[in-house]
Amino acid sequence: FPSHDTAPINPSDQASLQRGAKVFINYCLNCHSANSMRYNKLTDIGLSDEQIKANLLFTAEKVGEPMSIAMSKKDAKSTRSTYSTPTT
């Protein structure tokens, strides 16, 4: 089995990188901000501005804007305690 410390990532497999970006933006970005990255950096993995606008631009209006979370800081605080507290 592969180690959990490493992942079998092939940086030249653009289709895989694009699927990973789609998964992150659709499922992770709501809680895990990537505000130091702009949507237009997705062109580095072969996506066009038009593809980004049509399929991945949910929290911004322009492709050059940072990836921010849609959740307010207040909601993030209350959600953090819900998801980080172990249940017995």
Side-chain angles (χ1 to χ4, degrees):
F1 294 102
S3 168
H4 291 296
D5 295 331
T6 60
I9 298 171
N10 179 353
S12 63
D13 185 349
Q14 283 198 336
S16 176
L17 295 172
Q18 290 171 3
R19 285 190 305 274
K22 178 183 174 185
V23 167
F24 176 80
I25 290 171
N26 283 305
Y27 298 102
C28 305
L29 186 59
N30 285 326
C31 299
H32 303 279
S33 175
N35 61 2
S36 62
M37 183 164 169
R38 297 182 182 278
Y39 284 95
N40 61 359
K41 288 296 288 176
L42 295 171
T43 59
D44 292 352
I45 59 171
L47 295 172
S48 68
D49 284 354
E50 292 75 26
Q51 289 172 314
I52 296 167
K53 285 178 191 175
N55 301 299
L56 300 173
L57 198 63
F58 303 118
T59 63
E61 292 185 26
K62 297 179 183 177
V63 176
E65 292 182 38
M67 294 181 181
S68 61
I69 62 173
M71 187 181 302
S72 71
K73 287 186 180 193
K74 179 184 172 190
D75 289 342
K77 271 189 166 182
S78 66
T79 302
R80 185 180 332 146
S81 63
T82 302
Y83 288 107
S84 63
T85 305
T87 58
T88 55

